[in-house]
Amino acid sequence: EKQNSVNIFDRPLQIFCCSSFAFMDGFPVQTSQVRVEVGGFDTDIIKIVFQNYVQLFVTQLGKAGTIVEVRQLSHENEPNFDTKCLLGNREEIGVDVLAKQIAGQLFQLQQLTFDRHLIFVVSLKDYNKENVSAVASAVSEFLSAK
């Protein structure tokens, strides 16, 4: 058994990699993270790419918040996305808008496909238009740099 330590939100997270997973295509998962200042708040952005979905955390609170699943509705070049709130605030329109913008960016970067969905986890200090727009820009810059 091999033990790796990954730093998420300045706390170590222990990940155990067993040899039984070696046969799985796409294992281990690809991860990347960054901390940026957005609107005066430290914002952590973490992307984890699995074989069948991309998980993206964006937090200004240092913890998970609303969890949204984003699926591509068709195989078109300009896809439409459907969002489904799995857990958290269903009434916050900024979450839905942000999730669809990020899904569009991931689709353009060919990281999101009809068969690979986005699990978006977001917790912001404020969901006003300016903060959501600034967070979208920061995430876009992060995704483009990878």
Side-chain angles (χ1 to χ4, degrees), residues 87-88 98 102 134:
L87 187 66
L98 189 56
I102 291 168

Side-chain angles (χ1 to χ4, degrees), residues 1-22:
E1 221 175 71
K2 180 181 173 189
Q3 181 178 344
N4 294 325
S5 179
V6 176
N7 187 9
I8 298 179
F9 307 126
D10 294 328
R11 290 181 292 255
L13 171 68
Q14 300 298 317
I15 298 175
F16 294 92
C17 300
C18 301
S19 59
S20 61
F21 289 116

Side-chain angles (χ1 to χ4, degrees), residues 67-125:
I67 302 173
V68 178
E69 179 183 31
V70 185
R71 292 178 175 261
Q72 184 179 337
L73 294 176
S74 65
H75 290 282
E76 301 171 9
N77 289 339
E78 293 294 326
N80 291 323
F81 296 103
D82 180 48
T83 59
K84 179 180 178 182
C85 184
L86 302 177
L87 187 66
N89 189 350
R90 288 170 166 75
E91 278 91 48
E92 187 56 64
I93 191 72
V95 172
D96 188 58
V97 170
L98 189 56
K100 286 182 179 180
Q101 285 179 344
I102 291 168
Q105 173 108 26
L106 287 167
F107 177 80
Q108 289 176 349
L109 295 170
Q110 298 179 343
Q111 294 180 10
L112 202 63
T113 64
F114 187 74
D115 297 322
R116 182 185 280 171
H117 310 285
L118 171 64
I119 301 295
F120 181 58
V121 182
V122 61
S123 59
L124 303 179
K125 291 198 178 195

Side-chain angles (χ1 to χ4, degrees), residues 22-108:
F23 69 90
M24 295 176 65
D25 187 30
F27 193 87
V29 297
Q30 301 169 356
T31 62
S32 55
Q33 68 183 50
V34 68
R35 175 174 282 172
V36 295
E37 186 175 307
V38 177
F41 304 116
D42 283 339
T43 306
D44 293 303
I45 305 169
I46 302 165
K47 181 178 77 169
I48 306 170
V49 180
F50 296 88
Q51 185 175 2
N52 59 343
Y53 67 92
V54 175
Q55 191 170 22
L56 189 74
F57 291 85
V58 178
T59 181
Q60 294 176 331
L61 302 175
K63 57 185 174 182
T66 302
I67 302 173
V68 178
E69 179 183 31
V70 185
R71 292 178 175 261
Q72 184 179 337
L73 294 176
S74 65
H75 290 282
E76 301 171 9
N77 289 339
E78 293 294 326
N80 291 323
F81 296 103
D82 180 48
T83 59
K84 179 180 178 182
C85 184
L86 302 177
L87 187 66
N89 189 350
R90 288 170 166 75
E91 278 91 48
E92 187 56 64
I93 191 72
V95 172
D96 188 58
V97 170
L98 189 56
K100 286 182 179 180
Q101 285 179 344
I102 291 168
Q105 173 108 26
L106 287 167
F107 177 80
Q108 289 176 349

